Amino acid sequence: RGTAGDRVQLRLGRAQARININDITGGKMPEKAEAAVVDFNEVIRIMEADMSSARGTFDYPSVFVRRALAKEEIAYGRRDKTQWAGAVADYTRAINLWRDGMRDSPGNPGLGVNPMVLNFRGNALSQLGKFADALTDYQEASEIFTRDRQLRMASLSHANEGLALFGSGRRSEGMSTMQGLSRRDPGLADPHVALAAEYWSIGDV
């Protein structure tokens, strides 16, 4: 049977293989993503049977992120919007685990919250129409990327902020955000596309 660690690695490997098959087919085999979720469920069960070894590791919260991404693939493949709520819950679990680690070990906070996962949760929240909550995630991600000098990633997060502002009906703020971003990072396509769509919608072309 092997050790618990062996079983975790085998399940993770099989889950990733299933995700890869769905990706190769362009998302036309969501049953593979569903099977991957079953694998991730078992990985979490095994890890939680020995929380002393799982707590504080990167692997434990990362499984929730990977399960959330699999749920997104199901949402697209099955056109099942309920999966977005499940993805948000998993992203939130991972983010909270990272925050707990930072509070419990202030002198050694590890890598902290992964800003990419804040973007992922923001995207899932946007799919649920929760643009105000999504905006908060995008803003935090942008701040972390800026602090880490990952400026293109900060720009992408900032573009997501603009889209969330449009989605929440704050069109003038969305326009201002995208206009400023298009000047600061003219090579980024998203602001130009969003502005073109907005100008078209108001007949200013």
Side-chain angles (χ1 to χ4, degrees):
R1 291 172 55 86
T3 66
D6 292 336
R7 296 198 299 277
V8 163
Q9 292 307 312
L10 285 170
R11 288 277 185 170
L12 288 175
R14 185 170 68 175
Q16 189 58 55
R18 287 168 161 169
I19 292 294
N20 291 344
I21 292 170
N22 187 46
D23 291 345
I24 289 169
T25 64
K28 294 180 180 178
M29 296 183 70
E31 66 273 14
K32 295 297 184 182
E34 290 167 338
V37 167
V38 173
D39 281 329
F40 290 132
N41 292 344
E42 179 62 11
V43 167
I44 291 168
R45 187 197 68 78
I46 294 170
M47 286 184 160
E48 290 181 345
D50 183 10
M51 283 304 299
S52 62
S53 63
R55 190 177 301 279
T57 69
F58 177 80
D59 289 340
Y60 181 52
S62 75
V63 176
F64 290 98
V65 175
R66 293 173 69 177
R67 187 171 69 176
L69 291 169
K71 289 177 179 179
E72 289 192 11
E73 296 205 4
I74 299 168
Y76 284 121
R78 299 291 192 199
R79 292 180 171 81
D80 180 1
K81 284 189 172 293
T82 64
Q83 294 293 330
W84 291 109
V88 168
D90 277 347
Y91 291 135
T92 299
R93 182 68 184 277
I95 289 166
N96 288 344
L97 285 166
W98 285 319
R99 293 199 199 285
D100 289 345
M102 294 167 70
R103 283 193 294 268
D104 294 344
S105 302
N108 182 28
L111 296 176
V113 176
N114 185 335
M116 284 299 301
V117 177
L118 289 168
N119 272 328
F120 292 160
R121 186 172 69 174
N123 293 342
L125 287 165
S126 294
Q127 290 287 339
L128 294 170
K130 297 182 178 181
F131 296 107
D133 292 333
L135 180 61
T136 299
D137 277 348
Y138 295 142
Q139 288 172 334
E140 184 178 358
S142 181
E143 290 169 3
I144 295 172
F145 281 130
T146 300
R147 187 169 64 244
D148 292 343
R149 305 301 297 169
Q150 298 185 51
L151 300 184
R152 172 48 63 91
M153 295 304 300
S155 291
L156 288 168
S157 296
H158 204 46
N160 285 335
E161 291 179 42
L163 293 174
L165 288 166
F166 281 123
S168 60
R170 297 159 63 179
R171 306 185 78 84
S172 61
E173 292 175 76
M175 285 282 286
S176 177
T177 296
M178 291 303 196
Q179 287 167 344
L181 186 53
S182 68
R183 289 191 294 269
R184 290 194 304 275
D185 193 347
L188 189 64
D190 288 0
H192 301 290
V193 172
L195 288 170
E198 181 64 11
Y199 290 141
W200 177 267
S201 72
I202 61 178
D204 186 13
V205 293

